[in-house]
Amino acid sequence: MKFEFAKITKSRLMGSLGLHIKWQDEKETLNQFFLLDAEEDGIADYVGLRNASLKDIFIEENRLMGGLGSSIIRITKKEALNLLYEYARINIKSSLSFPGDFLEYEYLLKRDTTVDEEKLFFKTCVAISEPIEFINYMTMRLVAKDSKALRYFSSEKKPLYPEISSKGAVLLKNTVSKMNENRYYSNAIIEDATGYYKLKLGFTIIDENPFKLRSILAGEKQLVDSESVRKEISRPEYIAHYKIQDEELVYNLKKAYPTLYKVPFDKGDMYTKFKPHNDHVKEEEYNISDDLEAVFFTTESELVFAALDSKTYKVGFKVLETIGGLSLVNEFVFPYPVIYDYAESKESRFSEFLASI
């Protein structure tokens, strides 16, 4: 099939990229959608659509790429194939299975095309305009053990940075302060396979375009308990609990929110709507949940809608009224999020879950 185009999100510094490739010949069209995870999952998701309508293509592109909070750009065929080869090596190295219909894209992974990898890397990164934003992104990359990103943003050819986390680590919260010209420190809260930790990091940067790292220093890690972390990173959660009265509800919900990202659970499905930008990374206090706009959890008979601020909750509440097919049971405000606890709990009904906590 003939290559038509490739599009990718400029979200590399968040750790994930959405890639859309279109192929066509006289008989059919194939649109391929990949979620590429730089931290540990490699090619993490795949959907192939053959001879699909423009509507279905739009829905899938928004589902996979719309929640990554960045703009989308065109890249060349060579660049797209190089990225697929690079991320497939993560799957192979970590013995991870390939998602979706592997036979539909297996042949693409064998083409190790040569491109300027550094140029391609920066092509997939958002332009950073402020030092605080840079420190937050670099803290994320350090926690994720992303040596490639740290190398490209370093002023040294072979940078040495402290090891502060184990595999699968996540930056939960980061508070950045300026010490003096080009020197900053941050108080980070991280989670990895061994527990929750607080630590202080010192950054010396070069204010260029792009910004560059001169050095990173790390203080001693302090082990903290999960309840303390929960109190520090939590936001109030606004919840509306509904009974579903229309079997078309999920379809209509997706029409209203085309960028919803679905995660299946044993008793139902969670649909997450992320903000269309990553402006929270520019804040002196970064919180991992600040890119969330809304969460919907559906079972066969119930829908639970959650938001982390009253304004977003009110907007979502009105949208659900226009969708219809729902009967409001109750509304709640919790001091900390409970929607994920409910999704993982054994109770199938939300009222039963509330009685258990």
Side-chain angles (χ1 to χ4, degrees):
M1 299 180 80
K2 180 184 175 184
F3 174 81
E4 288 289 311
F5 64 74
K7 298 191 286 186
I8 197 160
T9 56
K10 290 174 67 69
S11 55
R12 175 61 179 80
L13 290 178
M14 294 299 292
S16 298
L17 296 160
L19 174 64
H20 175 191
I21 308 177
K22 180 182 179 182
W23 309 86
Q24 188 165 358
D25 61 20
E26 294 178 355
K27 295 183 179 180
E28 68 174 354
T29 299
L30 174 62
N31 284 271
Q32 297 180 302
F33 299 89
F34 299 88
L35 179 64
L36 308 178
D37 182 83
E39 295 176 4
E40 59 180 2
D41 293 331
I43 299 178
D45 193 7
Y46 170 76
V47 172
L49 299 179
R50 292 186 181 273
N51 299 323
S53 67
L54 290 176
K55 178 182 177 183
D56 288 341
I57 294 168
F58 171 80
I59 290 172
E60 187 56 38
E61 183 172 284
N62 273 277
R63 182 195 73 83
L64 186 69
M65 306 171 80
L68 294 175
S70 74
S71 58
I72 299 172
I73 59 167
R74 295 284 183 110
I75 56 174
T76 67
K77 178 182 177 180
K78 281 187 176 182
E79 290 172 330
L81 295 180
N82 182 268
L83 285 170
L84 287 176
Y85 183 85
E86 174 190 345
Y87 283 84
R89 286 187 295 176
I90 299 176
N91 294 70
I92 295 168
K93 183 179 179 181
S94 302
S95 299
L96 299 172
S97 59
F98 286 93
D101 186 350
F102 182 57
L103 295 178
E104 211 167 61
Y105 62 91
E106 179 184 15
Y107 73 100
L108 299 177
L109 310 183
K110 298 175 182 178
R111 300 182 184 180
D112 185 13
T113 58
T114 302
V115 300
D116 185 329
E117 290 193 6
E118 184 173 352
K119 183 178 178 181
L120 177 57
F121 173 84
F122 279 106
K123 201 172 183 178
T124 60
C125 292
V126 66
I128 302 174
S129 57
E130 300 292 336
I132 299 295
E133 181 183 14
F134 180 64
I135 300 300
N136 277 325
Y137 273 126
M138 292 303 102
T139 306
M140 280 187 234
R141 297 303 95 218
L142 183 68
V143 170
K145 304 170 75 72
D146 189 346
S147 58
K148 184 173 186 176
L150 293 170
R151 183 174 74 251
Y152 284 149
F153 276 99
S154 174
S155 62
E156 305 293 329
K157 290 184 178 180
K158 294 183 179 180
L160 293 174
Y161 294 126
E163 292 274 345
I164 64 169
S165 57
S166 61
K167 187 177 180 181
V170 178
L171 177 65
L172 301 177
K173 184 177 179 179
N174 199 43
T175 306
V176 182
S177 300
K178 185 173 183 177
M179 296 174 64
N180 51 48
E181 194 65 28
N182 295 334
R183 290 189 176 183
Y184 298 79
Y185 71 88
S186 67
N187 290 296
I189 301 176
I190 68 173
E191 177 188 6
D192 64 21
T194 64
Y196 297 93
Y197 298 91
K198 288 184 178 181
L199 76 158
K200 184 172 286 189
L201 297 166
F203 296 84
T204 302
I205 68 173
I206 300 174
D207 193 347
E208 294 180 345
N209 186 16
F211 289 98
K212 290 287 186 179
L213 288 167
R214 178 167 284 167
S215 66
I216 304 176
L217 298 175
E220 187 175 345
K221 289 167 63 176
Q222 175 189 353
L223 183 66
V224 291
D225 63 273
S226 59
E227 187 59 31
S228 297
V229 171
R230 185 172 192 164
K231 288 179 180 178
E232 285 218 40
I233 70 172
S234 287
R235 300 280 195 268
E237 186 173 65
Y238 299 78
I239 280 184
H241 173 209
Y242 299 89
K243 285 186 178 180
I244 296 176
Q245 297 179 317
D246 185 349
E247 59 186 28
E248 295 290 313
L249 183 278
V250 171
Y251 173 77
N252 292 330
L253 183 66
K254 290 180 181 178
K255 281 179 63 178
Y257 293 103
T259 61
L260 289 180
Y261 189 78
K262 177 182 175 181
V263 178
F265 287 80
D266 290 341
K267 65 188 175 194
D269 295 315
M270 179 174 286
Y271 297 90
T272 303
K273 185 181 187 304
F274 294 95
K275 293 177 181 177
H277 54 74
N278 289 315
D279 287 353
H280 64 299
V281 185
K282 299 177 182 179
E283 301 295 327
E284 291 181 356
E285 184 176 286
Y286 162 86
N287 191 309
I288 190 172
S289 65
D290 283 347
D291 63 343
L292 282 178
E293 190 165 310
V295 177
F296 305 89
F297 191 88
T298 64
T299 66
E300 289 186 358
S301 60
E302 297 184 331
L303 178 142
V304 179
F305 159 57
L308 295 178
D309 65 81
S310 59
K311 182 178 179 181
T312 302
Y313 174 77
K314 289 175 183 177
V315 172
F317 192 88
K318 289 181 179 179
V319 171
L320 290 175
E321 283 184 332
T322 64
I323 289 176
L326 292 168
S327 174
L328 181 66
V329 178
N330 213 336
E331 297 179 81
F332 307 89
V333 180
F334 292 92
Y336 53 83
V338 301
I339 188 73
Y340 292 96
D341 293 335
Y342 167 59
E344 294 176 340
S345 70
K346 64 180 186 296
E347 291 82 13
S348 58
R349 295 184 180 278
F350 189 65
S351 58
E352 295 172 350
F353 165 74
L354 292 180
S356 71
I357 61 175

